[in-house]
């Protein structure tokens, strides 16, 4: 109970903070919107000259990007504050608080999600009106346990893998390089730019070996009903393996990093 | 004039030395930025394996539009955006007094104060790819067309820069917005596609409200002969007007500015 009350208070505080910076939230939201929006516009033009591309129909491809947009907005996290705190020494303040750094940051991410989901509802309505007038809506499987598991797993995996990068700040003074490199790989191998099964063979095989596909691509495949029950189970087990690995590495980095961390004031 | 050239040299030297201090970071980020640009190529190549044209633009033209966009944005990201980002942050915090007390033009100093050398890789990579495409895929390109194309890239960078600067200066008059420079980059992003793919409402938004056509479509059109010399003249005039507006907005903003130290 004390745990719930404590982290409930943290979430409430972070939500107030996120609402105070709602305009900034709107800008980041627009960034999430722009890439899929451009791809939707481009694909709509491409489909004017032919009925299908690589086995995809216009409604399938437009829905794919709509779902990518929705999942990116709700599941993608940006825990940049962790490395910033380490670099500036502000981590001192976090260390003496009776709140876990990891959970505090996760609460902040969830708070920002609440602001973004507000914008999301409006944007989805506008996109549906603009792009889907006269387009048949595919049969989506939105209520299922595997989908729920894959979504929760996507959020946690997204969070823990990104925190690994942020905690490397204990050893390097600059994590921007590693972070931007990671985001490039993520956007390519998570299916954000193009559905993974449309990528050339070798690249698709590489994408299957990496954890990024569990961020958005795998949940979307479940929604679109494109994976069998056996594939769902094996993929969920693989994603749990990745999540466990990410949690272990994160905790190891925190433990080792704190031993060499030193800062004045904060 | 000589003083400003000397300042540019010194600012560049300082930024380069700073980047070399973190040279592993410089190389890693630079190469990954190059790879990021390459990913957009894989997508375009995939698309053109399935279709011959996108909105009457063929493969070479669309690749050129994409590359031209990379070149233009790399120029601004290399020389201007880091300084502008810092200026935007300090303007939001109300601590731009340090710019005001310098004995040089405020806009010049705010824009060129910092460079980001990681964009060199992207700039060079895209430049080499454009030269390759011109030499192997395009016939009958005249020296004049190449000169006009280069001029249009320069103007495109000025357009984008002025657009970002005007948006940043809006903070003087409107609400605080810490990531306003980021907003400008997002609004400019559609410029990587030929503008004729934007139809209806999107056409109005991306061709009239935000003139992204000048980002890459017009420069490539000038190179391939789609667009005539009138576009070059229009480009020069519009870029000039945008630059003047950015300067006037800054001047008006400074008159309203009440700093909080710094």
């Amino acid at each position: 109970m004390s745990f719930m009350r404590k982290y409930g208070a943290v979430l409430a505080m972070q939500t107030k903070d996120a609402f105070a910076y709602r305009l900034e939230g709107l800008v980041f939201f627009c960034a999430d919107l722009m890439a899929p929006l451009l791809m939707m516009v481009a694909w709509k033009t491409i489909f004017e000259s032919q009925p299908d591309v690589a086995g995809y129909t216009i409604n399938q491809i437009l829905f794919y990007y709509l779902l990518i947009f929705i999942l990116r907005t709700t599941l993608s996290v940006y825990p940049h504050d962790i490395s910033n705190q380490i670099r500036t020494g502000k981590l001192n303040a976090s260390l003496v608080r009776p709140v876990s750094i990891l959970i505090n940051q996760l609460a902040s991410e969830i708070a920002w999600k609440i602001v973004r989901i507000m914008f999301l509802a409006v944007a989805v309505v506008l996109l549906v009106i603009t792009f889907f007038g006269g387009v048949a809506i595919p049969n989506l499987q939105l209520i299922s346990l595997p989908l729920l598991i894959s979504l929760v797993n996507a959020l946690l995996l997204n969070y823990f893998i990104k925190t690994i990068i942020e905690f490397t700040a204990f050893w390097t003074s600059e994590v921007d390089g590693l972070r931007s490199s990671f985001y490039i790989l993520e956007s390519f191998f998570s299916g954000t730019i193009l559905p993974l099964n449309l990528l050339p063979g070798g690249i698709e095989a590489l994408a299957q070996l990496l954890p990024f596909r569990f961020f958005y691509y795998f949940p979307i495949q479940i929604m679109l009903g494109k994976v069998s029950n056996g594939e769902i189970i094996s993929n969920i087990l693989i994603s749990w393996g990745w999540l466990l690995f990410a949690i272990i590495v994160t905790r190891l980095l925190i433990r080792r990093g704190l031993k060499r961390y030193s800062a004045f004031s904060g | 004039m000589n003083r400003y050239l000397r300042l540019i040299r010194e600012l560049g030297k300082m930024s380069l030395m700073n980047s070399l201090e973190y040279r592993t970071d410089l190389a890693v980020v630079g190469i990954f930025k190059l790879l990021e640009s390459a990913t957009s190529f894989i997508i375009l190549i995939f698309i053109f394996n399935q279709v011959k044209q996108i909105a009457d633009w063929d493969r070479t033209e669309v690749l050129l539009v994409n590359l031209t966009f990379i070149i233009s944005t790399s120029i601004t990201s290399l020389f201007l955006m880091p300084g502008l980002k810092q200026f935007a942050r300090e303007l939001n915090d109300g601590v731009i007094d340090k710019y005001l007390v310098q004995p040089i033009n405020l806009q010049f100093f705010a824009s060129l104060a910092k460079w980001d050398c990681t964009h060199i890789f992207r700039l060079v990579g895209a430049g080499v790819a454009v030269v390759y495409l011109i030499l192997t895929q395009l016939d009958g390109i005249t020296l004049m067309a190449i000169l006009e194309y280069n001029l249009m890239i320069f103007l495109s960078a000025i357009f984008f820069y002025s657009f970002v600067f005007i948006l940043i200066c809006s903070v003087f008059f409107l609400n605080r917005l810490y990531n306003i420079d980021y907003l400008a980059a997002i609004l400019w992003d559609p410029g990587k596609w030929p503008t004729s793919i934007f139809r209806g409402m999107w056409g109005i938004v991306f061709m009239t409200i935000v003139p992204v056509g000048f980002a890459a479509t017009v420069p490539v059109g000038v190179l391939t002969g789609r667009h005539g010399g009138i576009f070059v003249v229009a480009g020069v005039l519009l870029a000039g007007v945008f630059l003047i507006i950015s300067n006037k907005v800054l001047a008006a903003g400074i008159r309203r500015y009440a700093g909080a130290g710094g």
Side-chain angles (χ1 to χ4, degrees):
Chain A
M1 189 58 198
S2 151
F3 177 88
M4 292 297 288
R5 218 173 50 212
K6 186 165 71 176
Y7 288 105
V10 170
L11 182 62
M13 194 181 69
Q14 297 284 10
T15 308
K16 275 183 193 162
D17 191 45
F19 271 93
Y21 290 97
R22 56 194 176 278
L23 265 181
E24 277 81 358
L26 179 62
V27 171
F28 287 127
F29 172 81
C30 290
D32 279 350
L33 171 65
M34 191 54 87
L37 173 68
L38 287 178
M39 289 310 293
M40 286 165 91
V41 170
W43 280 110
K44 202 155 185 197
T45 312
I46 291 164
F47 274 99
E48 280 174 3
S49 57
Q50 54 193 95
D52 71 289
V53 175
Y56 274 82
T57 57
I58 184 165
N59 61 344
Q60 285 174 329
I61 208 95
L62 290 181
F63 255 91
Y64 179 84
Y65 285 105
L66 181 69
L67 293 174
I68 278 282
F69 165 57
I70 294 170
L71 291 195
R72 262 172 66 90
T73 307
T74 47
L75 300 177
S76 191
V77 296
Y78 306 93
H80 301 182
D81 197 42
I82 292 175
S83 60
N84 190 38
Q85 284 188 31
I86 296 170
R87 199 165 44 83
T88 55
K90 287 181 182 162
L91 187 67
N92 292 3
S94 301
L95 290 174
V96 294
R97 281 188 198 139
V99 182
S100 150
I101 306 168
L102 284 172
I103 298 183
N104 188 43
Q105 186 61 37
L106 187 60
S108 163
E109 295 294 338
I110 292 171
W112 276 99
K113 294 288 157 223
I114 295 169
V115 176
R116 282 181 178 213
I117 287 167
M118 254 172 29
F119 301 130
L120 178 72
V122 179
V124 168
V125 170
L126 286 176
L127 286 176
V128 169
I129 291 170
T130 315
F131 287 99
F132 298 96
V135 172
I137 296 172
N139 190 17
L140 297 174
Q141 297 175 10
L142 294 176
I143 302 165
S144 71
L145 185 62
L147 178 63
L148 182 67
I149 294 172
S150 73
L151 291 174
V152 172
N153 209 35
L155 175 68
L156 294 176
L157 193 57
N158 211 308
Y159 177 67
F160 279 102
I161 290 186
K162 286 177 183 169
T163 52
I164 289 176
I165 292 166
E166 301 304 322
F167 280 116
T168 59
F170 281 123
W171 290 269
T172 61
S173 48
E174 198 55 76
V175 294
D176 286 1
L178 195 60
R179 188 192 293 136
S180 354
S181 314
F182 175 85
Y183 285 142
I184 293 163
L185 290 175
E186 184 211 342
S187 68
F188 194 67
F189 289 112
S190 65
T192 305
I193 302 173
L194 211 60
L196 295 181
N197 58 341
L198 291 188
L199 291 173
I203 300 175
E204 191 200 345
L206 180 60
Q208 295 298 326
L209 296 174
L210 298 169
F212 305 112
R213 69 192 167 103
F214 297 112
F215 289 7
Y216 320 116
Y217 185 71
F218 177 56
I220 289 178
Q221 295 301 94
I222 297 178
M223 284 187 217
L224 294 173
K226 283 184 179 266
V227 274
S228 66
N229 287 343
E231 285 172 322
I232 289 175
I233 293 168
S234 62
N235 276 304
I236 285 178
L237 289 176
I238 296 169
S239 67
W240 277 346
W242 275 110
L243 180 59
L244 187 66
F245 172 75
I247 292 172
I248 291 170
V249 175
T250 306
R251 296 193 70 87
L252 201 70
L253 287 178
I254 295 174
R255 200 180 310 152
R256 294 260 170 98
L258 284 177
K259 278 183 187 160
R260 52 172 286 137
Y261 171 75
S262 61
F264 300 106
S265 77
Chain B
M1 188 66 186
N2 268 345
R3 190 159 69 108
Y4 281 92
L5 287 175
R6 247 193 347 263
L7 268 170
I8 290 175
R9 198 183 64 197
E10 288 306 314
L11 289 169
K13 209 162 92 181
M14 262 164 43
S15 295
L16 191 63
M17 279 164 66
N18 192 38
S19 300
L20 288 175
E21 204 176 320
Y22 301 102
R23 46 192 167 278
T24 313
D25 215 55
L26 172 73
V28 171
V29 180
I31 290 166
F32 267 90
K33 277 181 180 158
L34 181 66
L35 287 177
E36 184 189 21
S37 307
T39 57
S40 56
F41 263 77
I42 295 177
I43 293 156
L44 288 176
I45 287 166
F46 164 77
I47 290 173
F48 279 104
N49 282 340
Q50 312 294 327
V51 296
K52 286 196 170 66
Q53 288 188 323
I54 300 177
D56 83 337
W57 288 71
D58 66 25
R59 187 164 93 149
T60 307
E61 287 176 308
V62 176
L63 287 177
L64 275 171
V65 168
N66 199 282
L67 286 165
T68 304
F69 183 80
I70 293 169
I71 292 174
S72 161
T73 51
S74 297
I75 293 170
T76 45
S77 303
L78 171 58
F79 300 110
L80 301 159
M81 285 305 283
L84 288 182
K85 276 181 188 171
Q86 186 172 315
F87 180 66
R89 204 169 45 245
E90 289 170 346
L91 176 60
N92 273 291
D93 287 335
V95 290
I96 61 161
D97 302 26
K98 74 170 184 197
Y99 297 93
L100 301 171
V101 295
Q102 304 293 336
I104 48 171
N105 181 287
L106 191 157
Q107 188 167 358
F108 170 87
F109 185 51
S111 308
L112 284 159
K114 262 170 96 175
W115 298 9
D116 181 355
C117 299
T118 57
H119 291 279
I120 292 172
F121 294 82
R122 219 157 70 95
L123 181 61
V124 173
V128 169
V130 165
V131 172
Y132 174 79
L133 281 178
I134 290 174
L135 292 176
T136 60
Q137 305 291 317
L138 297 178
D139 294 323
I141 298 293
T142 61
L143 183 63
M144 189 62 189
I146 291 173
L147 289 174
E148 285 176 346
Y149 170 69
N150 280 296
L151 172 67
M152 290 309 288
I153 289 178
F154 175 69
L155 295 176
S156 153
I158 298 223
F159 250 118
F160 179 50
Y161 159 74
S162 309
F163 178 63
V164 177
F165 202 81
I166 292 167
L167 270 187
I168 289 174
C169 287
S170 69
V171 171
F172 281 117
F173 312 95
L174 306 170
N175 213 336
R176 283 198 313 180
L177 187 57
Y178 278 95
N179 51 3
I180 193 152
D181 53 293
Y182 194 54
L183 176 67
I186 298 163
L187 291 173
W188 203 247
D189 206 40
K192 67 171 84 155
W193 289 93
T195 43
S196 48
I197 73 161
F198 302 113
R199 311 267 164 87
M201 182 187 82
W202 302 113
I204 297 167
V205 172
F206 293 130
M207 285 193 282
T208 317
I209 300 172
V210 187
V212 293
F214 280 93
T217 304
V218 172
V220 172
V222 166
L223 177 72
T224 56
R226 264 179 190 267
H227 298 127
I230 187 77
F231 279 85
V232 180
V233 178
V236 173
L237 289 175
L238 281 173
V241 167
F242 261 65
L243 197 59
I244 291 167
I245 292 174
S246 71
N247 192 262
K248 296 288 175 203
V249 173
L250 174 68
I254 292 294
R255 280 197 292 276
R256 283 176 59 102
Y257 174 71

